[in-house]
Amino acid sequence: MYSPDPPLNVVNPNRSTNPDFEIVVSHYNEDLSWLNSHSSECCVYSKGGPKNAPNPPLTITPLPNIGREGHTFLNHIVNQYDKLAGVTLFVQGRIDDHVDLTLDEMKKQAMDVPVGQVRTYPFRELEVFDHWDGIPWEQYPCWKRWSSMDTQTMGATPLELFQQYIIEGDRTPVAVGFAPGAIFAVKKETVHQHSRAYYQRLLECMFLGKMAHVNPETGHYMERFWLAMLNPDEYIQWTHADLAEKERNKDGQLAKGRWYRTPIGSVVDLGAMRRGESIDSESSRSLSTSLTRSPNTPASPDTAVSVMSDEEDPGKQ
């Protein structure tokens, strides 16, 4: 029976042990029919209660509606640490506002990810995060959706959290690169570079106790920390000189220090498109290269997407 308030360590009894591939889904009330063809490979964590539970053939593991997708993914890693799939694809309940590939295409790319690397997906470019004192929501009207919500604050800056829980040291990076929406694939061995205790500590700090909230600020920080945590050599820029020579790395991502920046004052966040497409803005150059939009693909509000993940509806518990 579906429990609206389950323990955090609940495990789906239908889950296979050590599968070769698994899709971990952070769900609230989204239509998951796009996953039906791969239902046997899905581990769906649903936070929307019985009325929002997806229909068969998908089965679910219920979780309380806290912590956004970061809580969901860390919960899975901690509780399945010794039984992780060979490759895990982490997704939200809706991805078509961030990704323009089919699920088969995403799986194919996921299975090719090397140990020590992280696979991200178009159409969103990797973005830069360097707001180490806190995200200045008021400077970005396009992010008003998040700044207007009831938010649980941590009482610590992103830099303090990064130093204490991600790199466990006192170095201060110039910036890190992140995948908007936290949609990525990774091999088990890459996750296992850190101990279970490392992820448990991160889970407890970021999403439990006073941070067990539907919209904790740490959920937005964790979205920005995943790549740096799993592949620091590629996604942490320690100095201004620590800049990739080429615009893109061998996986086609924007390379170190060349990540896209949302211009301050943006009313509509058009994001940045891979395959040579981006918005036109003089403000998008800092810490990223100038991206050129094809003449046949002009910037348009129709392409607007949010830079933040939208896994849960904070207005519904």
Side-chain angles (χ1 to χ4, degrees), residues 14-82:
N14 297 318
R15 182 182 185 272
S16 300
T17 302
N18 300 112
D20 293 331
F21 174 74
E22 186 167 43
I23 305 169
V24 171
V25 185
S26 189
H27 172 258
Y28 177 71
N29 66 353
E30 303 86 358
D31 178 3
L32 298 185
S33 58
W34 61 279
L35 291 166
N36 285 350
S37 62
H38 289 260
S39 61
S40 63
E41 297 176 313
C42 291
C43 182
V44 179
Y45 294 93
S46 186
K47 296 183 173 182
K51 67 178 181 180
N52 292 317
N55 296 320
L58 291 166
T59 58
I60 64 168
T61 295
L63 285 178
N65 186 21
I66 60 172
R68 312 187 61 78
E69 81 283 338
H71 163 264
T72 307
F73 297 167
L74 283 172
N75 179 80
H76 178 83
I77 290 171
V78 168
N79 289 296
Q80 301 299 319
Y81 188 84
D82 295 324

Side-chain angles (χ1 to χ4, degrees), residues 11 15 32 50 64 99 108 156 163 169-170 185 194 215 217 227 248 253 264 272:
V11 176
R15 182 182 185 272
L32 298 185
V99 177
K108 183 177 185 300
Q163 291 175 332
D170 59 1
H194 302 297
N215 187 42
E217 65 175 348
L227 301 188
R248 296 188 179 273
Q253 302 168 321
I264 291 176

Side-chain angles (χ1 to χ4, degrees), residues 221-235:
Y221 300 155
M222 194 65 222
E223 179 184 9
R224 289 152 172 77
F225 291 166
W226 280 108
L227 301 188
M229 179 179 69
L230 294 169
N231 187 356
D233 290 344
E234 179 70 30
Y235 300 111

